[in-house]
Amino acid sequence: MAVVFSGVQPSGTLTLGNYLGAIKHFVDYQEEEESYFCIVNQHAITVPQDPKQLRDNTRSLAALYLAVGLDPKKTTLFVQSEVAEHAQLAWVMQTISYVGELERMTQFKEKAQNRGESIPAGLLTYPPLMAADMLLYKTTDVPVGDDQKQHIEITRDLAGRFNHRFGELFPLPKMRTPKVGARIMSLQDPTKKMSKSDANQNATIRLLDSEKDILKKLKRAQTDSDNTIRFDKENKPGVSNLLAIHSLCTGKTTEQLEQEYMGKGYGHLKVDTAEAVIEILRPIQARYNELISTSELDLILDEGAAKAREVASRTMKEVEHAMGLRR
Ligand code: AQP
């Protein structure tokens, strides 16, 4: 039986990258027998967060999950910190993780940069927490963008290590990335992924941006000086990123777009890409605005946490039995 799990950090308003690379696809996966979509707020606190902002972002992310089409009748939507077993299993996973393998993680190296003596230990132990998230539900499939490859690999290593030492308990989860859109790039530096915590506001399109802002940001997107519209990630990363976004929002292939824009300037591509993004986001924003201040949102999250707890506490008992932590 397939069990699907994925999470998003409430570390800022979601970007078009989070949407096209991950949550857009969650809607298809909710048709599987069992699926869990989590707001991973304990991951978010591995870097400093303002408490009020974190609370607001958590609520906002829950409303966005629903606005893109997740249906609480089909799937379990919940907040990580409301299911205590995540932190419990994360501790167990830390005890079987090696400092060396955690220090080699790209995300750790990037986020720990320039912090001198003040690197939060949670940045290092982020992967065992992420492994716990998936393993608690005996997850088989994880829909994520391709920046998460290393995290899925280490989860598989930890699951295998646990099974080897304490007996077969966890399936090894498989990563599921979309063929196109697995990595949407920054609009200001197209060699870097679009990221919700990017300080440069022009680098990201956020799912709640106004139409005016979307147009402005796309008009300012970095391209190149060669003025031909061609999909070539290596040599033309900015133009290729625009073509990928356009293609994902309209359903046209990048080859069709190359034909359509032959002989036209970058300005045309930018404006049309903005229109395509606005079209995709319009119904999501409308639904979001209906949901954000309703108590229905809290009810859904309460019920989701209760459902998740049932499964998570069962797994945690099995883990503790296997390890000799229960009398
Ligand atoms: N640029 C991207 N293109 C495609 N997919 C992406 N994802 C993130 N950025 C892109 C996917 O979105 C999901 C949720 O990500 P996350 O919240 O767990 O954290 P992240 O990957 O670290 O995303 P951000 O936006 O870069 O957050 P910050 O800035 O807080 O670190 C994941 O499935 C991810 O692959």
Side-chain angles (χ1 to χ4, degrees), residues 185-186 189-192 222-224 230-244:
M185 309 311 279
S186 152
D189 176 0
T191 59
K192 219 174 79 176
Q222 290 293 323
T223 46
D224 51 53
R230 193 159 45 81
F231 190 79
D232 175 354
K233 279 197 199 167
E234 253 330 81
N235 300 305
K236 297 173 69 65
V239 172
S240 302
N241 194 34
L242 293 177
L243 285 170

Side-chain angles (χ1 to χ4, degrees), residues 9 11 17-18 111 145 147-148 182 184 193-197:
Q9 300 181 68
S11 47
N18 298 133
K111 294 203 170 175
D147 59 317
Q148 296 300 326
I184 299 296
K193 75 162 185 160
M194 186 181 281
S195 212
K196 60 175 120 54
S197 54

Side-chain angles (χ1 to χ4, degrees), residues 34-94:
E34 208 177 313
S35 64
Y36 301 85
F37 295 105
C38 186
I39 298 174
V40 289
N41 55 352
Q42 290 169 316
H43 282 284
I45 58 168
T46 55
V47 296
Q49 300 287 341
D50 171 70
K52 178 175 184 311
Q53 193 68 54
L54 183 61
R55 215 165 7 244
D56 290 350
N57 285 341
T58 300
R59 206 181 159 75
S60 168
L61 180 48
L64 274 172
Y65 268 167
L66 295 170
V68 300
L70 287 180
D71 177 352
K73 290 198 197 78
K74 294 182 178 168
T75 188
T76 305
L77 297 179
F78 70 104
V79 178
Q80 186 184 32
S81 62
E82 294 176 15
V83 180
E85 285 81 0
H86 285 254
Q88 267 175 283
L89 186 59
W91 174 251
V92 167
M93 289 295 139
Q94 280 184 53

Side-chain angles (χ1 to χ4, degrees), residues 141-165:
D141 297 84
V142 191
V144 280
D146 85 355
D147 59 317
Q148 296 300 326
K149 191 159 181 266
Q150 252 193 335
H151 283 140
I152 308 295
E153 277 165 8
I154 197 170
T155 297
R156 292 170 62 88
D157 289 347
L158 292 175
R161 204 173 292 162
F162 183 97
N163 289 347
H164 180 70
R165 286 191 198 167

